[in-house]
Amino acid sequence: PAVKLANAIVLGALKLKASDIHIEPGEKNARVRYRVDGRLRQIMTPPKSILPALTSRLKILASLDIAERHKPQDGKFRIRFQGRNIDFRLSILPVVGGEKSVIRILDTGSMAMKLETMGYEPKAYQDIKAAIDSPYGMLLVTGPTGSGKSTTLASMINHINESYPYHILTVEDPVEFFHPSKKSLVN
């Protein structure tokens, strides 16, 4: 049952184009929520008794220690869905009543990775291009979960990588996008 439930939760999130899955213990039931368009939506409330098996299944997918229940753990896994690879980042946190799981969905195959195809207003696009074409300076990209920060930065790296003969090095924790010629300090 835990394997089927894990599969149903993950596939349901992909179908709704969720950016995150939150699974947390309650008093009598667990709570499963998806973040869709920046908002958390409750999807189901399975019995709390299945939560340890469900969490163990997720840990197995992410190559984490299923026996460790008192320390936070982070891992990742990948599945193939509709002909493309989908990456998942799993964070497990011990909380009152069990363990909370948060799964970040990184669907790089469905994202526009070229600056010109990302839908920026003309002025914003010109400002972004001017910033990344500048030989010095700093550009801050901020916003809530799922707003496109990582996609924006990845598209900027692609632009620089295609346009200039620079060596590009990023410092990320965790690394979300892998570029063929990009090297990351933190992995």
Side-chain angles (χ1 to χ4, degrees):
V3 171
K4 286 182 181 180
L5 181 58
N7 291 346
I9 290 169
V10 168
L11 291 174
L14 291 173
K15 288 176 184 171
L16 289 177
K17 295 182 173 29
S19 62
D20 303 273
I21 304 168
H22 293 251
I23 304 168
E24 53 204 6
E27 255 185 68
K28 295 180 182 174
N29 296 310
R31 180 165 68 163
V32 177
R33 298 184 295 168
Y34 296 162
R35 185 179 307 279
V36 179
D37 296 328
R39 300 188 112 160
L40 280 173
R41 300 179 185 179
Q42 186 161 309
I43 301 301
M44 63 177 80
T45 55
K48 188 176 177 181
S49 60
I50 198 166
L51 189 58
L54 175 61
T55 304
S56 290
R57 173 61 183 158
L58 295 172
K59 287 180 180 181
I60 288 167
L61 287 172
S63 301
L64 299 177
D65 182 358
I66 62 170
E68 180 57 66
R69 297 185 185 273
H70 301 290
K71 291 183 183 172
Q73 295 187 69
D74 291 305
K76 57 188 174 181
F77 61 96
R78 174 180 281 177
I79 68 167
R80 192 124 178 100
F81 178 74
Q82 295 181 344
R84 63 187 191 273
N85 290 326
I86 311 289
D87 294 316
F88 297 85
R89 199 173 64 226
L90 173 66
S91 294
I92 305 287
L93 183 68
V95 296
V96 174
E99 293 178 288
K100 176 181 174 133
S101 303
V102 178
I103 305 167
R104 178 82 167 132
I105 302 169
L106 302 165
D107 185 1
T108 57
S110 72
M111 295 180 187
M113 297 300 271
K114 293 221 176 255
L115 280 174
E116 55 272 10
T117 63
M118 292 185 62
Y120 292 112
E121 295 288 329
K123 172 77 169 110
Y125 175 71
Q126 292 306 318
D127 290 345
I128 290 169
K129 282 215 13 125
I132 62 176
D133 290 343
S134 176
Y136 55 86
M138 179 172 53
L139 177 67
L140 298 176
V141 180
T142 66
T145 301
S147 65
K149 299 178 299 289
S150 295
T151 304
T152 297
L153 291 168
S155 68
M156 289 177 182
I157 290 171
N158 282 343
H159 173 80
I160 294 168
N161 202 23
E162 293 168 358
S163 305
Y164 302 103
Y166 296 143
H167 172 76
I168 301 170
L169 183 101
T170 66
V171 179
E172 308 171 53
D173 187 15
V175 174
E176 290 193 353
F177 295 104
F178 290 91
H179 299 265
S181 61
K182 178 182 97 168
K183 303 294 181 232
S184 297
L185 287 177
V186 180
N187 192 358

